[in-house]
Amino acid sequence: MSGTPKYDVLVAGGGVAGLFLAYLTARAGFTVAVVEMKSEEKVGEKVCGDAVGEHHFREVGLEPPRLGVDAVGVFEGVRVYSPSKRYSITARGRGYALDRRAFGRRLLKMAADAGAELLASHVVVKPIVEGEWVRGLRVRGSEGLRDLYSRVVVDATGAAAAVRTKLPSQWWVAYKAPLEDFNAAYRVVAEVEEEQDPRYALIYLDVDIAPGGYWWWFPKGRHVVNVGLGVKAGTGENPRERFEKRLTPFLERAGAKILHAGGGLVPTRRPSPCMVWNGLVAVGDAAYTANPLHGGGIGPALLSSYHAAAYIASALEEGEASMEALWPYQAAYMNSYGAKQAALDAARIYLQALSNDDLEFIIERGIVSDEELTVMGYEGEIAGSVLSKALTALKFLRRPSLLSDLRSLRSYARRARDLHARFPESPSGFPQWFREVEGLFIEVKARFWGRR
């Protein structure tokens, strides 16, 4: 190595995933630094939906948000509306409307109190590569360019994956997802005169407003809302223009005063196929961990960092962070969330092929019940009763293709889940596994998108 490691762990990105991992590894006794492009006072700010399920906090042993501290509301569930808004289904489960900045500041304080160093206002230029290893990061700050060396680098740079995607293209970890697997989103946080029901996060399916995605209305207490939409990326659709044309009238009727606005890309797909290399780990959106159906990324970001930190610690304690030593992190993540995520990716592809008439029919006829939507959200499982009800509903209607599609979807989702639950135990099994996964999703897209 040309440079002596200054840190055990060098984290690129000071978002949820990066700060939580920094806290866990610093608490375990390692020297940790977080490289963040924002200034110190802006750490914690992030454009997102600000909603997260409570179960994620239990799974990683993190104290849930508190009202008045880092949460502004508590949800009882998520309600999904048909295009006409006349019909809905509800996924039950306790969740939080976050004060996103306060939650980020809480994670920053935890990391700093554990001993992690924050290098704010520093931009990651590129990873430092020596042979088959990642040895550190070249960064730019007020003092100019400098090289920082570490025993392991963590890519927590969000959907851009600004570290791993700059690695040699033949390395598995450098995989770049196609743009069609992302949603382009735009949202505002607004104060409204119209009193809100803070119990439910509201999702609206309407391909005329949000093609390939959905639009949302998330109350943040009685008089503040997070409102936005996501559209399938790569189609030429501009989410901000769609927002201003289609959603601004709803806000105007509610007497809205815009407090904050912004947008970005969200990876709405299965996890990145490979999340480690020699000296490198990817977490959060940089590893494509967001939920494919609703784009929620905070919970799975925490989960990925929780598992990654454990295997980083064991690798460093035993010697070095080789790909072989870090490899089990991926199976741990797949078993806790990634396998479900892969099943939901098949569902996402199917939903993106539906018309408003299809969506209206499925919700109006109760093809998916509240309980089934809840199970699907938690486990990625499409129940057999969905097909039974579809058959009954379709018996006297000319929609034979819908039942065929649902049968195919159920099979694809199970295959995707099972493949990811059987993530290879060692790198030697990865090429074959990767071919199977890619082949499956080529088939899924051809089945549902090919006829359009």
Side-chain angles (χ1 to χ4, degrees), residues 10-353:
L10 189 56
V11 182
V16 166
L19 291 173
F20 189 52
L21 188 140
Y23 159 69
L24 292 172
T25 50
R27 186 184 65 172
F30 298 101
T31 55
V32 181
V34 178
V35 180
E36 170 53 50
M37 64 186 300
K38 297 189 185 83
S39 61
E40 191 279 334
E41 61 270 15
K42 290 187 177 295
V43 173
E45 296 181 2
K46 169 76 174 179
V47 174
C48 71
D50 301 333
V52 59
E54 184 179 60
H55 61 286
H56 292 299
F57 296 94
R58 293 195 301 269
E59 290 163 341
V60 302
L62 183 62
E63 181 185 347
R66 290 181 293 163
L67 281 174
V69 179
D70 52 354
V72 294
V74 177
F75 295 129
E76 296 177 14
V78 178
R79 186 158 287 162
V80 181
Y81 282 90
S82 69
S84 71
K85 304 183 190 65
R86 289 183 295 177
Y87 309 101
S88 67
I89 48 177
T90 302
R92 309 284 176 182
R94 185 180 172 91
Y96 298 93
L98 294 177
D99 178 328
R100 184 61 181 80
R101 185 178 188 278
F103 180 66
R105 303 299 291 183
R106 171 188 162 196
L107 293 177
L108 174 61
K109 184 177 188 306
M110 288 169 58
D113 289 349
E117 178 183 353
L118 175 66
L119 302 176
S121 303
H122 280 71
V123 176
V124 173
V125 177
K126 66 176 184 177
I128 298 170
V129 175
E130 295 180 1
E132 293 290 310
W133 281 77
V134 178
R135 297 296 191 184
L137 296 171
R138 176 164 293 176
V139 304
R140 180 184 291 111
S142 59
E143 70 283 4
L145 288 175
R146 60 172 170 155
D147 290 345
L148 301 175
Y149 290 87
S150 63
R151 298 171 67 192
V152 63
V153 170
V154 177
D155 188 351
T157 58
V163 177
R164 66 172 186 80
T165 58
K166 292 180 181 177
L167 295 170
S169 60
Q170 68 271 22
W171 290 9
W172 303 332
V173 76
Y175 174 89
K176 294 180 182 178
L179 197 55
E180 65 194 23
D181 285 353
F182 291 77
N183 254 216
Y186 184 81
R187 73 96 176 97
V188 304
V189 175
E191 185 177 344
V192 293
E193 296 173 0
E194 188 177 278
E195 186 168 331
Q196 304 296 303
D197 179 353
R199 296 175 299 164
Y200 294 100
L202 309 179
I203 286 177
Y204 297 88
L205 302 178
D206 188 333
V207 300
D208 293 334
I209 294 179
Y214 65 88
W215 69 275
W216 68 86
W217 186 285
F218 294 168
K220 293 168 69 74
R222 294 286 182 183
H223 289 282
V224 178
V225 292
N226 180 312
V227 180
L229 57 76
V231 299
K232 184 179 174 184
T235 61
E237 296 287 355
N238 184 311
R240 180 171 181 172
E241 290 178 0
R242 280 194 164 270
F243 181 98
E244 291 174 347
K245 181 179 179 180
R246 305 302 297 270
L247 299 189
T248 296
F250 291 108
L251 287 166
E252 289 175 344
R253 285 196 290 271
K257 174 185 176 183
I258 305 301
L259 304 177
H260 189 272
L265 277 178
V266 182
T268 48
R269 51 158 286 143
R270 60 200 177 277
S272 183
C274 182
M275 303 156 81
V276 302
W277 201 256
N278 295 314
L280 180 83
V281 172
V283 295
D285 279 2
Y288 305 149
T289 60
N291 185 295
L293 289 189
H294 56 63
I298 295 171
L302 292 171
L303 275 171
S304 66
S305 291
Y306 174 77
H307 292 298
Y311 286 99
I312 288 171
S314 63
L316 295 180
E317 287 166 356
E318 293 174 13
E320 60 182 5
S322 66
M323 178 166 59
E324 288 76 10
L326 296 169
W327 195 259
Y329 150 56
Q330 300 168 109
Y333 175 75
M334 296 301 180
N335 286 322
S336 67
Y337 195 84
K340 174 189 108 168
Q341 188 183 336
L344 294 178
D345 194 16
R348 180 267 306 185
I349 293 166
Y350 168 65
L351 287 171
Q352 287 180 323

Side-chain angles (χ1 to χ4, degrees), residues 76-81 87-93 200 362-363 365-378 381 383 385-386 389:
E76 296 177 14
V78 178
R79 186 158 287 162
V80 181
Y81 282 90
Y87 309 101
S88 67
I89 48 177
T90 302
R92 309 284 176 182
Y200 294 100
I362 289 170
I363 297 177
R365 298 288 173 140
I367 302 299
V368 180
S369 69
D370 291 358
E371 292 75 19
E372 287 158 342
L373 184 63
T374 301
V375 170
M376 193 182 303
Y378 278 95
E381 175 63 24
S385 58
V386 170
K389 285 186 291 184

